[in-house]
Amino acid sequence: MSAHPEIWSVELAVLRGFQTASEFQESLQHQTSLTDNEDLLQLLFEGNFKAILLSQAVQDIFVTPLTAEQIDVYLEKQILTYLDHCAEDDRIKRQMVVFLLGVSSLQLFVQSNWTGPPVCIHPQDFLPSTTPELFSEVKDGKTAVMNLLVLDGESVYSLTFNPILLLLARVILVNCRRKLTGFQLVPWWTLRYINIHQQLLEERSPQLFDLAQSCAEEATAIETLFTCETCQQLAIQCHLECGYIFLYFYEYKKAKERFNTAKNLTKLQISLTGALGKRTHFQEKSVAQLLLDVQREGDAVLSSELSPAPTDQGSLPKNQDLNDDTVMNKIILETPEQHQIPDLCAEELAVILGVCMDFQKNNPVHKLTEEEIMAFVSCLLSQPKFWAIQMTTLMLRTKLEKGSTRRVERAMLQTQALADHFEDKKTPVVERLKVFYCCPVPPRWAVQRQLASLLFDLGCTSSALKNFEALEMWEDVVICYERTGQHGKAEEILRQELEKKETTSLYCLLGDVLREHQYYDKAWEISNHRSARAQRSKGLLHLRNKEFKECVECFERSVKINFLQLGVWFSLGCAYIALEDFEGAARSFQRCVSLEPDNAEAWNNLSSAYIKLKQKVKAFRTLQEAIKCNYEHWQIWENYIITCIDIGEFAEAIKAYHRLLDLREKYKDVQVLKILVQAVVDGIADHRGETATKLKSRLQELFGRVTAKVTNDAEIWKLYAKLYGDGKSENTEENEKALQYLAKAHRCNTQADGWDKDMASFKEVAKGAIELAYVSMKCSKAKSSAQEAIQILSSARLNLRSLVSRAKQLYTDATTAELHSHLADEVKAMETLITELQEMSNLWKNQV
């Protein structure tokens, strides 16, 4: 517990976004050292964050005018001076002012760029300055502040509103956080700052990732937060927020643990199920429909006093109806009363959304996955209560529906409604901020970008271009022009923007359009050699031109600046493979899969590198991971089966062959089958030292499937016969099967085109026929029925006679009338066998 219980109470209320009735009464009854800050607290709970920045308490921090020094240095110096130069009695009071200023700055920045309604504030409104010109650059282009927000060479979105607020929040919640000694929950607010700042950057920032990990550990280490019953709702929120941070930074395992912990704290049972219902207007018979089943364990209900109160539905983003003549607005169940969802509070709804996001991230892009996610969406939209949850869920639905011809119109209308809602002043910001950080709410420009993308997909190119240009999303503008074949227009607009202001991203885009290295070099120069994007783009151009050595150099420079670039690591690995530097390839793909463990292609390529390095056991393990990620990729299974054979994982090879038959009906690999048969017949030890003989029945089952689909391959039939002992078994049934398969092999051989025109192939067929004759003789002896025995012997004799006749016809020298010497032995053996077969047939006939 904090040394100041009243501070702990305030921290909880600030995190929650409101005071409970008991907390409010307690604050009125007890006069403390924090009483002077009650006005600031009240403004915070009312959502009047701007008033806090303009308050006299904040003015007292920034007493020294801003001069020509960097603004972040100035802010930090002023805050540290304010905290350090005070009487001991005022220390906690001043820490409270700085804490509330940091929180208000972050919240006001979120209001400016995520939730709305729009707010207008300038640095000179709350910072003193000797010369107003110092703020002119910030006011016009925000260049000074925006440059300070660049991390790891990743630029900030150009139309970010009020970036000074995020900079101020960073100075307090990151640079000065150790000075707020009386506050335990500052690391949680630092996590919230990280979440917001990262969404402004082009790529993931290693600096923010390292800070996020340490802050998540610090927040989780606050024992009271996770053990006190009155903090249960906040504990759930903390786990959800950490889960989203980890999910964004590719830490999928940690994210899943956090989401599961949050779910367990709510005591919710969440599962996908089916129920009879109707989806279309003309549907007469109910069929199974997918829906989400949510139930509470026992009577577990979270305290309503400690959970945010639901927002009035009229203040929430409107859920657009699906006005389609075929598909209903929602599924009509036959027995809806059996699938009722309990009345859920804010944290419970946020947990369902978190589970949904985790599910989406850990499953492949597939129609079935979309249907499952829609079940989550329908559940969440059935209880519209909170702005952040409603906004996120509706945005998720538009992304799912944009590919559906019957739903794309609603997707368009819904996205437009969400974009317009940002400007709507009817919904107070305090309502919009309820459980905001527990949801991946998109920033306003992401919503507007989605709208422009929908317009472009629907063929409204000019409208889409107008929107992209207004958003200053030049990459999307270039893509639009490129797709419509207006390459010259793309170059023209980029040069116009460069005349206004030179930026690394614009030069990189010009390089992308013209495919010239000079523009990437220019971007690299003006970034002072800190632009990961410039080297990334330059490397991709080298890769496109198959200049692999130069490509590797560029990519290595890029990942040195920012190692959280999944695509660059993958491309770097491919370039290393092209250069036959398999150690470099293995290192690159290892980085790739550590960032994104479900990247099947990366796992597959990593295994290929290991194979080249003769590290076949590692290749086997990596291919197993690749298969987990993509069970449908037949090329991965093909690599897997070869690796299994190489290291002696015969059981896994059989399993892999079955899967390949599922994926490719006519698949065959005779070499693999040959090795498997050899291993089973000869009792070769597998990877674990166990004999492969025990796999005989499983291999026979596999051959049954193979020969059912591939019926015309003599080699496979011969291997099948070998698996049954080639007719030399002590088991009569096995000999019968071997005879059957050898006969089919012979039939396949003699039905092949031109088999008798080549002496070598003729000789092989003759040998097969001789072997078939010996097995026929053995099987006939085991027969109790003379008729069956005679039939077997007659079939073998006819095969041999046909071959002898064919050999004499095709390979007898016309001059000497002698048979070719290469076939003489086989023909002589066949003639001898014909006689023996005839004699055995006669013996059987005599018994009849």
Side-chain angles (χ1 to χ4, degrees):
M1 181 70 73
S2 168
H4 298 275
E6 62 270 25
I7 293 181
W8 175 254
S9 178
V10 167
E11 283 194 274
L12 295 179
V14 170
L15 274 170
R16 207 184 294 124
F18 63 93
Q19 282 182 307
T20 63
S22 57
E23 286 172 341
F24 181 71
Q25 288 300 320
E26 191 176 338
S27 68
L28 293 176
Q29 293 170 9
H30 296 86
Q31 297 294 312
T32 70
S33 59
L34 305 178
T35 304
D36 293 342
N37 295 322
E38 284 296 333
D39 289 342
L40 294 182
L41 275 171
Q42 193 57 38
L43 289 171
L44 186 82
F45 293 136
E46 290 171 358
N48 196 348
F49 309 117
K50 182 178 178 179
I52 294 176
L53 268 77
L54 302 178
S55 67
Q56 185 58 50
V58 171
Q59 300 296 312
D60 292 342
I61 300 175
F62 305 107
V63 290
T64 306
L66 172 64
T67 55
E69 64 185 329
Q70 278 197 173
I71 191 168
D72 61 335
V73 175
Y74 164 80
L75 292 172
E76 186 172 347
K77 192 183 294 183
Q78 293 297 300
I79 290 166
L80 291 176
T81 301
Y82 177 77
L83 290 172
D84 291 339
H85 296 80
C86 66
E88 188 63 35
D89 292 344
D90 289 337
R91 192 173 300 279
I92 291 300
K93 175 186 170 183
R94 290 199 173 194
Q95 286 186 22
M96 175 65 81
V97 172
V98 172
F99 170 69
L100 292 178
L101 174 60
V103 171
S104 298
S105 301
L106 183 63
Q107 299 286 61
L108 194 57
F109 182 75
V110 167
Q111 180 182 343
S112 302
N113 295 280
W114 266 261
T115 65
V119 62
C120 182
I121 190 168
H122 303 291
Q124 55 267 44
D125 294 341
F126 59 94
L127 296 179
S129 174
T130 52
T131 52
E133 290 78 18
L134 285 171
F135 292 111
S136 63
E137 189 180 20
V138 177
K139 184 178 179 182
D140 296 337
K142 303 167 290 188
T143 308
V145 176
M146 297 286 271
N147 287 342
L148 291 170
L149 293 174
V150 171
L151 293 175
D152 300 297
E154 299 299 338
S155 58
V156 176
Y157 175 57
S158 60
L159 292 186
T160 302
F161 284 112
N162 302 324
I164 185 67
L165 297 172
L166 186 65
L167 185 65
L168 179 55
R170 184 175 80 180
V171 168
I172 295 171
L173 299 174
V174 179
N175 301 3
C176 301
R177 65 192 178 107
R178 301 300 181 194
K179 287 288 184 178
L180 302 176
T181 54
F183 293 78
Q184 292 191 78
L185 296 172
V186 174
W188 190 344
W189 280 104
T190 309
L191 266 179
R192 290 181 168 184
Y193 149 77
I194 292 166
N195 173 26
I196 296 303
H197 193 164
Q198 178 57 70
Q199 292 185 64
L200 304 181
L201 304 176
E202 282 191 26
E203 286 284 346
R204 291 158 178 81
S205 163
Q207 283 185 56
L208 291 179
F209 177 50
D210 292 340
L211 183 60
Q213 287 185 304
S214 63
C215 288
E217 288 176 12
E218 289 176 39
T220 310
I222 302 169
E223 188 177 345
T224 311
L225 184 63
F226 297 95
T227 55
C228 179
E229 192 173 329
T230 56
C231 297
Q232 189 176 6
Q233 281 90 338
L234 287 175
I236 293 167
Q237 290 187 36
C238 184
H239 285 300
L240 287 172
E241 290 179 35
C242 290
Y244 282 118
I245 289 278
F246 287 134
L247 202 63
Y248 191 82
F249 284 107
Y250 303 119
E251 293 283 347
Y252 298 128
K253 187 176 180 181
K254 288 183 181 179
K256 186 174 284 294
E257 288 171 0
R258 292 286 188 159
F259 287 126
N260 285 337
T261 303
K263 180 168 73 74
N264 294 337
L265 285 173
T266 60
K267 300 289 193 296
L268 286 181
Q269 296 289 335
I270 304 169
S271 61
L272 288 162
T273 186
L276 291 175
K278 296 176 181 177
R279 190 183 287 249
T280 66
H281 292 291
F282 308 109
Q283 195 174 330
E284 294 181 358
K285 184 181 178 183
S286 294
V287 295
Q289 306 290 344
L290 188 66
L291 67 145
L292 195 72
D293 182 52
V294 180
Q295 300 296 331
R296 288 197 184 99
E297 289 181 19
D299 300 323
V301 180
L302 294 173
S303 170
S304 58
E305 186 192 28
L306 297 168
S307 189
T311 302
D312 179 64
Q313 284 198 32
S315 299
L316 296 175
K318 185 184 177 183
N319 179 3
Q320 297 287 331
D321 287 337
L322 179 65
N323 296 315
D324 186 71
D325 57 2
T326 302
V327 181
M328 291 181 178
N329 190 48
K330 63 178 183 179
I331 296 169
I332 305 300
L333 299 178
E334 263 193 7
T335 54
E337 67 281 355
Q338 294 181 12
H339 302 280
Q340 288 288 335
I341 294 172
D343 190 25
L344 301 170
C345 68
E347 290 79 13
E348 290 170 329
L349 288 166
V351 162
I352 294 172
L353 181 59
V355 171
C356 173
M357 291 299 178
D358 181 60
F359 178 86
Q360 183 184 37
K361 199 70 179 175
N362 286 282
N363 282 277
V365 178
H366 191 272
K367 186 67 179 172
L368 178 59
T369 306
E370 291 180 6
E371 286 291 331
E372 290 168 326
I373 294 169
M374 278 301 292
F376 281 92
V377 168
S378 299
C379 171
L380 290 165
L381 293 178
S382 69
Q383 295 196 16
K385 296 179 180 180
F386 300 95
W387 188 93
I389 293 171
Q390 186 81 347
M391 185 78 173
T392 308
T393 308
L394 290 173
M395 192 65 181
L396 176 59
R397 189 180 69 184
T398 63
K399 291 178 180 177
L400 295 172
E401 291 187 338
K402 66 179 182 180
S404 168
T405 53
R406 292 198 174 276
R407 295 179 173 87
V408 68
E409 184 181 354
R410 175 167 71 173
M412 171 68 74
L413 293 171
Q414 187 68 72
T415 311
Q416 183 68 65
L418 296 178
D420 294 343
H421 191 78
F422 180 85
E423 306 291 336
D424 182 18
K425 296 182 180 180
K426 186 174 66 173
T427 309
V429 68
V430 286
E431 295 296 330
R432 301 177 192 228
L433 285 171
K434 288 178 178 177
V435 292
F436 170 83
Y437 295 98
C438 299
C439 312
V441 181
R444 60 171 186 82
W445 57 82
V447 180
Q448 291 166 339
R449 183 185 188 183
Q450 173 76 4
L451 179 61
S453 298
L454 277 165
L455 285 166
F456 185 77
D457 291 341
L458 290 171
C460 306
T461 310
S462 59
S463 298
L465 274 167
K466 186 178 177 182
N467 284 14
F468 283 133
E469 287 175 14
L471 293 167
E472 293 187 11
M473 293 182 173
W474 305 117
E475 187 167 357
D476 292 295
V477 170
V478 167
I479 290 169
C480 280
Y481 280 128
E482 293 280 307
R483 285 185 183 174
T484 54
Q486 301 180 64
H487 307 291
K489 189 66 177 173
E491 179 187 355
E492 181 187 332
I493 197 164
L494 289 172
R495 290 195 184 279
Q496 287 174 2
E497 291 303 315
L498 280 167
E499 286 175 10
K500 298 175 190 175
K501 180 185 173 185
E502 290 186 337
T503 67
T504 56
S505 58
L506 285 172
Y507 272 117
C508 287
L509 285 170
L510 189 57
D512 294 342
V513 171
L514 299 177
R515 298 188 179 182
E516 292 182 16
H517 289 287
Q518 59 174 312
Y519 300 108
Y520 301 132
D521 295 334
K522 181 68 175 176
W524 181 240
E525 284 174 25
I526 66 172
S527 73
N528 294 321
H529 298 179
R530 289 297 302 158
S531 172
R533 165 72 189 276
Q535 290 301 316
R536 177 168 71 238
S537 300
K538 186 174 173 67
L540 286 169
L541 182 56
H542 280 306
L543 186 63
R544 189 180 292 115
N545 296 333
K546 298 185 178 179
E547 298 160 353
F548 301 116
K549 186 178 178 182
E550 295 82 357
C551 163
V552 163
E553 291 171 0
C554 293
F555 283 153
E556 288 286 9
R557 279 195 288 267
S558 185
V559 294
K560 189 175 181 181
I561 297 167
N562 183 354
F563 67 85
L564 289 173
Q565 299 183 85
L566 177 65
V568 176
W569 282 115
F570 189 91
S571 299
L572 179 59
C574 294
Y576 271 126
I577 284 180
L579 291 171
E580 297 187 357
D581 181 349
F582 299 111
E583 287 186 2
R587 186 174 63 253
S588 301
F589 288 121
Q590 187 63 55
R591 278 283 197 162
C592 207
V593 298
S594 67
L595 290 174
E596 190 173 48
D598 62 348
N599 190 323
E601 286 292 333
W603 281 112
N604 191 36
N605 291 348
L606 177 59
S607 71
S608 299
Y610 282 143
I611 289 169
K612 293 292 185 180
L613 293 168
K614 309 297 183 187
Q615 298 176 16
K616 292 181 178 177
V617 175
K618 279 188 176 181
F620 170 71
R621 300 292 178 212
T622 54
L623 281 167
Q624 284 186 314
E625 294 298 325
I627 286 165
K628 287 178 190 175
C629 303
N630 192 339
Y631 206 67
E632 310 297 320
H633 199 305
W634 69 266
Q635 288 97 333
I636 296 177
W637 280 104
E638 198 166 52
N639 289 344
Y640 184 58
I641 199 171
I642 293 166
T643 308
C644 289
I645 291 294
D646 280 347
I647 67 168
E649 279 283 358
F650 303 123
E652 284 295 308
I654 292 171
K655 171 186 166 185
Y657 209 118
H658 274 294
R659 184 60 188 152
L660 281 162
L661 287 173
D662 293 337
L663 297 172
R664 304 185 73 201
E665 192 177 352
K666 297 287 185 178
Y667 177 81
K668 72 172 182 178
D669 190 324
V670 177
Q671 193 63 32
V672 166
L673 293 173
K674 190 178 290 185
I675 294 169
L676 287 172
V677 170
Q678 193 70 39
V680 169
V681 171
D682 296 348
I684 296 171
D686 66 9
H687 182 60
R688 298 176 186 79
E690 299 175 1
T691 177
T693 307
K694 65 178 185 179
L695 299 173
K696 185 176 180 179
S697 61
R698 289 177 61 184
L699 189 56
Q700 288 171 342
E701 180 188 348
L702 173 62
F703 266 94
R705 281 195 72 190
V706 172
T707 53
K709 294 180 178 181
V710 182
T711 58
N712 59 349
D713 193 304
E715 190 67 27
I716 292 176
W717 286 113
K718 285 179 184 177
L719 289 170
Y720 204 179
K722 186 175 182 180
L723 194 55
Y724 280 95
D726 268 340
K728 299 167 187 172
S729 171
E730 299 300 320
N731 187 308
T732 304
E733 287 185 11
E734 287 195 345
N735 288 336
E736 289 281 346
K737 286 186 180 293
L739 175 63
Q740 179 186 344
Y741 303 145
L742 286 171
K744 288 184 177 181
H746 179 75
R747 196 176 303 122
C748 289
N749 278 330
T750 54
Q751 287 175 353
D753 291 337
W755 68 271
D756 53 351
K757 302 296 188 290
D758 177 69
M759 192 177 297
S761 64
F762 194 104
K763 189 168 185 174
E764 284 301 313
V765 173
K767 285 181 178 178
I770 291 168
E771 183 184 3
L772 177 59
Y774 281 119
V775 176
S776 298
M777 291 164 70
K778 183 170 184 178
C779 287
S780 68
K781 292 175 183 177
K783 290 292 179 184
S784 57
S785 166
Q787 188 175 353
E788 288 181 13
I790 292 167
Q791 188 176 352
I792 290 171
L793 295 168
S794 299
S795 178
R797 191 172 70 250
L798 285 171
N799 289 337
L800 294 174
R801 277 182 177 172
S802 175
L803 285 174
V804 168
S805 172
R806 198 82 175 149
K808 289 179 178 179
Q809 180 184 344
L810 294 173
Y811 296 103
T812 300
D813 191 297
T815 308
T816 61
E818 291 182 1
L819 193 65
H820 198 287
S821 59
H822 283 302
L823 288 176
D825 292 342
E826 281 72 22
V827 171
K828 184 178 180 182
M830 285 192 286
E831 288 176 335
T832 303
L833 278 169
I834 289 169
T835 304
E836 289 182 27
L837 289 164
Q838 184 62 60
E839 289 174 354
M840 289 183 73
S841 295
N842 292 337
L843 287 172
W844 278 104
K845 287 176 183 176
N846 292 336
Q847 291 179 19
V848 175

